[in-house]
Amino acid sequence: MIVDTANIVSTLAFDADRMEIRAVREEEIHCVADIITRSFHFDRGWMAWFTPLFKLGIAEDLRHRLRSNAPSANPHKSQPQVCSIAVYPDLQQQQVIGTIEVGVRTAHYRYPAPHRYVYISNLAVGRDFRRRGVAQQLLKDCEQLAQSWGYSELHLHVMGDNERGRNLYEKLGYEVVTTEYVWSILPWRRPERLFLCKQLQSSDPESQVC
């Protein structure tokens, strides 16, 4: 049985060795949507009124992506996309305590030809399990996936004012490639978004560099 971290808080001492990272199943999508909704503050302030709608939209978007990326749905698709979750046993049940997505994207600008690269998104950890190494393990799992696909770099975005996230990525070897400014409803505020890259270590000299 899968339970939601918003409803049950672990009363046991957290043991990272008991945590499992695997691909999400369709019946677990609602748990993933809840963690993402709460992690990106869609349940606070005036936006709390729209939390159910945010959660529903996130769940349906993820469900659509998983179905469209299934091998049976598109056997000729060459760009993989995976949503992974971290689950933790608690009182004979399993809690979804974190999630991350990784996939291959194609850039049609800045390069003379379409350029493929591996991109991480939607990294989120349940509030009761933060700062316990869950995000770090999810990111390391993405590194293994990228290498299994034949890539030697990982990319992601982080907001410039997300100090905790920036510190984590810097600790794991990510470096800033570019700084972008995103649209804001406040004309005097232009939030910056950083595009990061990490070079993966590989024992195979023939591995692809994206």
Side-chain angles (χ1 to χ4, degrees):
M1 178 179 179
I2 301 297
V3 296
D4 196 325
T5 55
N7 299 323
I8 296 181
V9 177
S10 175
T11 58
L12 306 176
F14 183 78
D15 180 0
D17 292 335
R18 300 178 65 202
M19 181 176 63
E20 176 189 357
I21 296 177
R22 58 169 172 77
V24 69
R25 299 166 184 158
E26 185 153 343
E27 64 269 20
E28 299 162 342
I29 287 178
H30 71 284
C31 295
V32 170
D34 185 81
I35 290 177
I36 293 175
T37 301
R38 295 174 186 276
S39 294
F40 291 96
H41 311 302
F42 294 139
D43 63 338
R44 300 182 183 181
W46 63 270
M47 288 196 298
W49 291 94
F50 302 97
T51 295
L53 291 177
F54 284 129
K55 184 176 177 179
L56 178 62
I58 291 170
E60 289 305 311
D61 182 54
L62 176 57
R63 183 174 287 109
H64 172 75
R65 290 201 305 277
L66 291 178
R67 289 177 176 175
S68 63
N69 280 278
S72 58
N74 191 349
H76 302 293
K77 188 175 180 63
S78 58
Q79 300 188 122
Q81 178 82 21
V82 173
C83 175
S84 297
I85 58 172
V87 294
Y88 191 75
D90 181 33
L91 303 177
Q92 306 305 314
Q93 297 174 321
Q94 282 190 318
Q95 291 182 263
V96 178
I97 63 175
T99 182
I100 196 168
E101 287 188 59
V102 59
V104 178
R105 295 189 176 185
T106 301
H108 296 277
Y109 59 94
R110 297 182 183 173
Y111 299 96
H115 175 75
R116 290 183 179 180
Y117 63 100
V118 181
Y119 184 80
I120 289 173
S121 60
N122 288 336
L123 171 60
V125 177
R127 291 174 185 169
D128 298 310
F129 293 89
R130 292 175 187 168
R131 309 191 75 171
R132 301 189 184 190
V134 178
Q136 185 169 328
Q137 291 303 315
L138 286 166
L139 287 163
K140 289 184 177 179
D141 186 72
C142 289
E143 293 181 12
Q144 297 176 5
L145 282 172
Q147 289 177 318
S148 71
W149 296 337
Y151 290 82
S152 59
E153 291 180 351
L154 274 174
H155 302 79
L156 56 83
H157 280 100
V158 63
M159 296 304 296
D161 59 357
N162 184 355
E163 185 176 355
R164 182 178 297 177
R166 292 179 63 178
N167 289 339
L168 171 64
Y169 299 134
E170 181 180 354
K171 174 184 175 182
L172 295 179
Y174 287 83
E175 298 180 351
V176 177
V177 177
T178 59
T179 299
E180 307 163 357
Y181 292 93
V182 299
W183 180 86
S184 172
I185 60 174
L186 302 177
W188 61 87
R189 182 175 181 270
R190 296 184 64 199
E192 64 176 12
R193 187 173 69 158
L194 308 179
F195 186 56
L196 309 184
C197 177
K198 178 178 180 178
Q199 297 283 342
L200 303 179
Q201 298 294 327
S202 175
S203 58
D204 181 7
E206 299 298 325
S207 61
Q208 177 182 346
V209 177
C210 52

